[in-house]
Amino acid sequence: MVKMTGSQAIVKCLQEEGVKTIFGYPGGAVIDLFDALMDSDITNVLVRHEQGAVHAADSFSRVTGEVGVALLTSGPGATNGVTGIATAYCDSIPMVILTGQVPRSLIGNDAFQEVDIVGITRPCTKHNYLVSNRDELVPILREAFYIARTGRPGPVLVDLPKDLMAGQVTYPEQKPIRMQNYQPTYEPHIGQIAKACKQILKSRKPVLYVGGGVILSDGHKALEELAVNLNIPVTMTLMGLGAFPGSHPLSMGMLGMHGSYTANMAVAQSDLLIAVGARFDDRVTGKLEEFACNAKIIHIDIDPTSISKNVKVDIPIVADCQYALTAINSWFAKEPGINIKEEAAQHEAWLETIREWTAKYPMTYKEEGELIKPQYVVQMLDKLTGGNAIITTEVGQNQMWTAQFFKFNKPRHFVTSGGLGTMGFGLPAAIGAQMAFPDRLVIDIAGDGSIQMNIQELATARQYNCPVKIAILNNSYLGMVRQWQELFYDKRYASTVMEITPDFVKLAEAYGAVGLRATKKSEVVPVIEKALATKNVVIMDFSIAREENVYPMVPAGKATTEMLLV
């Protein structure tokens, strides 16, 4: 057993957990820990706002599959990170957030920069801790990483009193982590797998409804095997995009409020809905009583509390998505008397109906001369990058157009705030992704409103040589809220007109980045090509059609079959 400071012990534990990069902002409560990090090989990324630190760590996790780490100081440093923590919690992202706290002797005395961050974050963390004993410091950290990455992943916060980090601790040896009251179920029940497979055999109109759990479990290959072998069409949630190749003939794209006509109609008319790693979110289901009302429902999820929470299911399977999908594929391969090709052929009439819907109601928009349509910008970004870029988004119309018109063919290439819908997410997320993969192309597709919420992170991108590209779909509105006001509030644009917006080209230059602008359609491709060829941070400012709307759209309270179309 070795003696060292608490801060040195934290750094050693982070290294044991394989942490190579953390994102943070210093302060008095964590000054010892930042000092200790200087003697390690861990890259410490200095952001410009604590929310940016948590979003960047979140994105680092999403693209790598590793646990993201953020380091924040006490008081306002910790509270500034709460939005990022809640964002990760809603999307089940494995993270450890380290926050500084005042010395133990001052806790509860309203000391300078003291806040009960454990109490504040209890509803939006998978678990959290206040370390009160030096002997618990390293075991708690190890437990935090274990909880964050196992079962249904999520953020875990560890609050660190300043005196513990400055004082001496004895570094304990590593031991297997066993938690009696926390034992996630990974392997599916074989009886439930058999029930599900037999139900699939009976089905003539099956649909695979896929969520982010497939990506988090790395179950995409097993999913594709099941879909292709049995000829089952696939629709994905916003968080599930990339779990199945978007350009595959069996892909129907996204479903729900802004999903494709084909996906929504297929779910409505299916006789079997196979939900994998999805939670039946309200943006997916619309009017609950009319969602998939003709279908039997199989639900695979590692979180038992998610099953039958929103929609009653017929065959629940509590398991890791990859394990469950692999077990289903194995059942079909080994069960005697089953001819997979014959079973797949049973779905051909259903697929023909789906192809007819797609031909009649494609994902489209109306072109208007030289006016820049945002959908066209997204299509050109997809085309000119070969679909290989890591795409982050802000939240709003820009996010939905990206989901609709960028064909994500690989998992962990689409990084967006799903459950919480956090504006200001995209730019720090792009930095986190670029720090994870310095040689990859990373693009943030943004709106002019959302990008301004964390625009200061341009400095972070420049400081760490992250050549992220930012495509701003600029309509001088808070576009998604304005769309609702147009359609349902008699065009009363209350507080959605962005009367003053910065000159984004000059703003880019002020940060030492490159600014480009397109004001007509013919300029879009040259601007993108120049941005992609530039080895620097680039802002592309696209002056788009100001009142362009996102269609299809399911109005609030309506069934997903009641779509407003272009």
Side-chain angles (χ1 to χ4, degrees):
M1 297 222 180
V2 182
K3 284 272 190 182
M4 59 184 69
T5 68
S7 292
Q8 290 170 332
I10 292 168
V11 172
K12 182 175 173 62
C13 186
L14 292 174
Q15 290 172 318
E16 277 181 3
E17 295 291 341
V19 175
K20 298 289 194 298
T21 306
I22 67 173
F23 302 84
Y25 203 92
V30 289
I31 195 168
D32 294 283
L33 182 48
F34 273 87
D35 183 71
L37 281 165
M38 291 191 72
D39 297 324
S40 76
D41 59 355
I42 296 173
T43 300
N44 179 25
V45 180
L46 172 64
V47 297
R48 297 309 188 262
H49 189 282
E50 291 89 353
Q51 183 180 342
V54 184
H55 288 332
D58 172 329
S59 176
F60 188 96
S61 174
R62 294 188 199 222
V63 298
T64 62
E66 300 169 10
V67 177
V69 180
L71 172 57
L72 318 175
T73 194
S74 65
T79 58
N80 278 346
V82 171
T83 298
I85 295 168
T87 300
Y89 180 72
C90 287
D91 292 343
S92 304
I93 305 304
M95 290 181 60
V96 170
I97 302 94
L98 305 176
T99 55
Q101 184 54 273
V102 300
R104 287 172 293 174
S105 61
L106 295 179
I107 292 176
N109 289 349
D110 294 331
F112 177 66
Q113 291 193 334
E114 178 193 0
V115 73
D116 178 13
I117 196 63
V118 167
I120 289 170
T121 60
R122 190 166 285 120
C124 62
T125 52
K126 186 176 177 184
H127 195 56
N128 61 18
Y129 301 86
L130 169 62
V131 183
S132 57
N133 184 310
R134 67 187 61 200
D135 293 331
E136 296 176 345
L137 176 61
V138 173
I140 281 176
L141 277 173
R142 290 170 175 164
E143 200 168 276
F145 276 88
Y146 175 75
I147 292 171
R149 65 165 66 97
T150 55
R152 179 180 179 176
V156 178
L157 181 138
V158 182
D159 202 24
L160 302 161
K162 181 177 170 64
D163 61 310
L164 278 182
M165 288 187 279
Q168 292 286 307
V169 302
T170 301
Y171 198 84
E173 62 178 308
Q174 278 188 293
K175 295 179 180 178
I177 294 174
R178 293 186 179 89
M179 301 176 69
Q180 189 172 353
N181 59 349
Y182 175 68
Q183 296 178 338
T185 300
Y186 282 83
E187 294 283 357
H189 189 284
I190 195 64
Q192 293 300 95
I193 291 293
K195 283 183 187 178
C197 292
K198 289 172 184 176
Q199 193 64 53
I200 292 171
L201 291 176
K202 293 178 187 176
S203 170
R204 294 297 173 264
K205 297 181 179 180
V207 168
L208 274 159
Y209 153 47
V210 177
V214 172
I215 294 173
L216 291 169
S217 70
D218 292 322
H220 53 284
K221 290 182 180 177
L223 170 72
E224 188 170 354
E225 181 182 339
L226 174 61
V228 171
N229 282 352
L230 284 166
N231 228 12
I232 302 175
V234 181
T235 183
M236 291 157 279
T237 67
L238 181 71
M239 298 306 301
L241 291 173
F244 187 78
S247 59
H248 195 284
L250 289 171
S251 172
M252 300 183 289
M254 187 173 69
L255 80 165
M257 180 175 280
H258 294 293
S260 71
Y261 179 92
T262 301
N264 284 338
M265 292 303 294
V267 169
Q269 294 192 23
S270 67
D271 62 9
L272 178 64
L273 189 64
I274 309 163
V276 192
R279 57 190 177 87
F280 294 89
D281 176 74
D282 60 285
R283 290 291 173 112
V284 161
T285 62
K287 191 176 180 180
L288 271 173
E289 311 88 84
E290 297 185 34
F291 178 76
C293 52
N294 299 313
K296 295 281 188 182
I297 298 177
I298 299 167
H299 190 184
I300 301 168
D301 204 289
I302 199 165
D303 180 6
T305 67
S306 289
I307 294 179
S308 289
K309 180 179 181 180
N310 298 328
V311 173
K312 190 177 185 319
V313 305
D314 300 283
I315 302 174
I317 299 175
V318 179
D320 176 270
C321 292
Q322 182 185 164
Y323 284 52
L325 289 167
T326 300
I328 290 171
N329 288 331
S330 179
W331 191 93
F332 280 113
K334 295 177 180 177
E335 190 69 12
I338 293 177
N339 186 313
I340 285 286
K341 289 185 178 179
E342 286 181 4
E343 296 301 332
Q346 300 276 11
H347 303 147
E348 191 53 46
W350 174 229
L351 290 176
E352 183 55 35
T353 299
I354 286 169
R355 286 190 284 267
E356 288 171 4
W357 282 329
T358 301
K360 190 173 181 180
Y361 299 103
M363 192 64 74
T364 189
Y365 57 95
K366 295 177 182 176
E367 298 193 51
E368 298 178 52
E370 276 287 84
L371 202 61
I372 298 178
K373 290 302 183 84
Q375 302 93 328
Y376 175 74
V377 175
V378 174
Q379 286 178 319
M380 290 303 100
L381 286 167
D382 189 7
K383 180 181 178 181
L384 295 171
T385 62
N388 291 318
I390 294 174
I391 301 294
T392 71
T393 75
E394 305 293 336
V395 166
Q397 289 181 315
N398 62 86
Q399 179 187 37
M400 292 298 103
W401 284 317
T402 303
Q404 291 176 335
F405 290 92
F406 201 103
K407 300 296 183 186
F408 294 98
N409 287 316
K410 300 174 186 174
R412 302 191 186 278
H413 280 58
F414 182 45
V415 180
T416 196
S417 171
L420 197 63
T422 305
M423 293 177 70
F425 175 81
L427 177 53
I431 293 168
Q434 193 77 82
M435 290 299 298
F437 297 109
D439 298 326
R440 298 280 296 279
L441 175 62
V442 180
I443 301 174
D444 173 28
I445 300 178
D448 54 293
S450 193
I451 190 66
Q452 294 184 68
M453 289 203 168
N454 275 313
I455 195 76
Q456 74 283 342
E457 299 307 329
L458 282 170
T460 308
R462 289 281 297 117
Q463 180 171 338
Y464 293 93
N465 298 313
C466 294
V468 297
K469 317 304 178 194
I470 304 153
I472 300 176
L473 306 178
N474 191 344
N475 56 12
S476 297
Y477 278 120
L478 295 176
M480 188 59 88
V481 183
R482 184 216 59 77
Q483 175 170 333
W484 279 66
Q485 289 170 334
E486 175 191 333
L487 297 175
F488 310 116
Y489 290 86
D490 298 323
K491 292 192 175 182
R492 289 163 58 85
Y493 294 162
S495 298
T496 50
V497 184
M498 305 289 279
E499 294 178 355
I500 300 295
T501 55
D503 182 328
F504 288 110
V505 171
K506 290 182 179 178
L507 185 65
E509 293 168 354
Y511 279 99
V514 174
L516 305 171
R517 179 175 290 118
T519 58
K520 54 187 179 181
K521 183 179 178 181
S522 57
E523 295 171 343
V524 169
V525 169
V527 161
I528 295 173
E529 288 176 335
K530 186 172 182 180
L532 298 183
T534 301
K535 294 181 179 179
N536 194 351
V537 179
V538 180
I539 289 181
M540 297 170 274
D541 185 11
F542 296 102
S543 300
I544 64 168
R546 288 202 69 199
E547 296 190 49
E548 185 73 5
N549 289 336
V550 180
Y551 292 115
M553 178 182 181
V554 178
K558 299 290 187 181
T560 52
T561 52
E562 300 178 83
M563 291 166 275
L564 303 178
L565 302 173
V566 177

